[in-house]
Amino acid sequence: QIQLVQSGAEVEKPGASVKVSCKASGYTFTSYDISWVRQAPGQGLEWMGWISAYNGNRHYAQKLQDRLIMTTDTSTNTAYMELRSLRSDDTAVYYCARSTTADFYYFMDVWGKGTSVTVSS
Amino acid sequence: DIQMTQSPSAMSASVGDRVTITCRASQGISNYLAWFQQKPGKVPKRLIYASSNLQSGVPSRFSGSGSGTEFTLTISSLQPEDFATYYCLQHNRYPWTFGQGTKVEIK
């Protein structure tokens, strides 16, 4: 079955970086994009950006683009989200989701279980 | 940025009630709208894509409609498992933006 398996919880200090992985299985990885969404405790959902697993094209939310790096490794069908210069308000659950801008049917239809990132001194 | 305003922000309803949630976009987004359901501590689940298309496996009591700037999610007969928070998401223009959520609670 189609799955996105994310890496485990992280605790980081302010100013550090975190890299979350999202390993895809059950579908052709390079035929889709991966979107990232985060949710701070008790808050709503925030779209962070997406990356094409086909050609690496990406689009980031402007508020994060100075600190955010999305990459993919097609040899392992894994997408990565790295957030730098962490602040306390980056504390959130980070989700990856299969996505595409080409076909609404597959737009954010499958999600990973989420990775908790806590930023605390 | 396109603002997505959901109403109401929260509501109480009884099993069997018809529930309608509205999502208004600050500018036209055609049908680039999806609806998600999220239960506490769980992963968001897509219910509707392209404004009105039901996700496979989602009960037919859920429906979506709208185009342009006004969209609705309707639950025709609320069931116990439907108590959750619902979010709309526009993906017509960057940055993609979610509504603030509508929490549906038991009356």
Side-chain angles (χ1 to χ4, degrees), chain B residues 70-82:
Chain B
E70 187 148 340
F71 302 84
T72 58
L73 174 70
T74 300
I75 310 172
S76 60
S77 178
L78 196 68
Q79 297 301 302
E81 60 268 30
D82 301 337

Side-chain angles (χ1 to χ4, degrees), chain A residues 35 37 39 43-47 49-50 59-62 95 99-101 103-109 111-114, chain B residues 1 31-34 36 38 41-46 49-51 55-56 87 89-91 94-100:
Chain A
S35 284
V37 172
Q39 186 171 36
Q43 302 302 307
L45 301 170
E46 178 186 14
W47 175 75
W50 63 262
H59 198 105
Y60 300 157
Q62 188 168 19
Y95 296 101
S99 188
T100 175
T101 57
D103 188 340
F104 290 3
Y105 184 86
Y106 300 105
F107 176 76
M108 298 183 77
D109 62 334
W111 291 57
K113 293 191 184 300
Chain B
D1 298 2
N31 67 337
Y32 286 68
L33 185 108
F36 296 87
Q38 187 180 33
K42 300 298 186 182
V43 179
K45 172 186 174 183
R46 192 181 74 170
Y49 63 96
S51 175
Q55 168 73 28
S56 175
Y87 296 93
L89 167 66
Q90 72 81 19
H91 56 106
Y94 296 114
W96 297 347
T97 42
F98 286 92
Q100 80 277 16

Side-chain angles (χ1 to χ4, degrees), chain A residues 64-116:
Chain A
L64 296 171
Q65 65 181 15
D66 291 343
R67 303 190 292 128
L68 181 59
I69 300 173
M70 293 181 185
T71 56
T72 60
D73 182 344
T74 56
S75 69
T76 60
N77 290 349
T78 302
Y80 297 92
M81 185 283 299
E82 181 178 11
L83 191 59
R84 300 178 171 179
S85 301
L86 289 168
R87 309 187 290 239
S88 58
D89 61 357
D90 293 317
T91 294
V93 175
Y94 290 74
Y95 296 101
C96 61
R98 187 173 74 163
S99 188
T100 175
T101 57
D103 188 340
F104 290 3
Y105 184 86
Y106 300 105
F107 176 76
M108 298 183 77
D109 62 334
V110 179
W111 291 57
K113 293 191 184 300
T115 297
S116 174

Side-chain angles (χ1 to χ4, degrees), chain B residues 4-55:
Chain B
M4 303 300 293
T5 303
Q6 286 184 234
S7 58
S9 296
M11 63 181 299
S12 296
S14 300
V15 172
D17 283 353
R18 182 181 182 87
V19 168
T20 298
I21 299 168
T22 298
C23 188
R24 288 188 174 86
S26 60
Q27 56 185 280
I29 59 170
S30 184
N31 67 337
Y32 286 68
L33 185 108
W35 288 97
F36 296 87
Q37 176 194 64
Q38 187 180 33
K39 297 179 180 178
K42 300 298 186 182
V43 179
K45 172 186 174 183
R46 192 181 74 170
L47 300 176
I48 301 286
Y49 63 96
S51 175
S52 60
N53 292 270
L54 190 67
Q55 168 73 28

